[in-house]
Amino acid sequence: MKISEPMARALLQRAEEARAAAYCPYSGFAVGAALLCGDGTVYGGCNIECASLSPGNCAERTAFFQAVAQGQRRFVAIAVTGGPAGQAPDSLCAPCGVCRQVMREFCGQDFEIVMTDGKELTVKTLAELLPMAFGPDNLK
Ligand code: THU
């Protein structure tokens, strides 16, 4: 694990705070993310749903797109927490495939994803979550 356990726990706390803004009237599943940048800045993100469903955005991509739009390009780790809205998450919420691909766009293979079941921390690298990925290198 590259980031320290206290840092991972602090990042999860930021993700939990970001989760409070989740807009999820259709699924009722609220997700928060907190993205740690190379300069130490943390960007929060939540899921945002839409009545026509497909335009919705995951918490992780909300955090990435906010950071990238502010000029950030170096990323260290992201914490993700999710579960039924209004309840404390009690099972692990791992990033969806689309979010993993966005991580691949901007992050190295050692980028860390911090998750929790409400008790234990689970930390995986992007290489573990998205092996044999297609990415920017393929289009050089
Ligand atoms: N969701 C996220 O925001 N991140 C994940 O890692 C998994 C799923 C959102 C999308 C949708 O708003 C809701 O959770 C149910 O799928």
Side-chain angles (χ1 to χ4, degrees):
M1 187 164 136
K2 198 173 58 178
I3 64 167
S4 67
E5 187 170 336
M7 175 57 90
R9 290 197 181 278
L11 207 54
L12 268 172
Q13 179 57 37
R14 294 287 296 268
E16 194 54 49
E17 288 163 19
R19 183 173 174 253
Y23 178 76
C24 54
Y26 307 106
S27 72
F29 192 86
V31 185
L35 176 62
L36 175 62
C37 302
D39 68 358
T41 310
V42 175
Y43 288 83
C46 61
N47 55 331
I48 302 166
E49 298 180 350
C50 199
S52 59
L53 297 183
S54 60
N57 206 43
C58 289
E60 298 91 322
R61 276 176 289 142
T62 302
F64 263 97
F65 295 160
Q66 292 205 88
V68 171
Q70 295 301 314
Q72 297 284 352
R73 291 294 186 274
R74 290 189 309 114
F75 302 103
V76 177
I78 192 167
V80 187
T81 180
Q87 297 176 29
D90 62 2
S91 64
L92 199 133
C93 178
C96 79
V98 173
C99 290
R100 294 178 197 202
Q101 191 66 45
V102 169
M103 292 173 196
R104 176 70 187 85
E105 186 66 31
F106 294 105
C107 306
Q109 294 287 76
D110 61 347
F111 179 74
E112 289 184 325
I113 298 97
V114 180
M115 298 158 280
T116 186
D117 61 1
K119 298 180 200 77
E120 305 290 313
L121 286 186
T122 298
V123 183
K124 298 285 184 190
T125 63
L126 183 56
E128 290 173 306
L129 292 192
L130 194 65
M132 286 187 70
F134 184 87
D137 293 348
N138 294 96
L139 298 183
K140 278 197 178 133

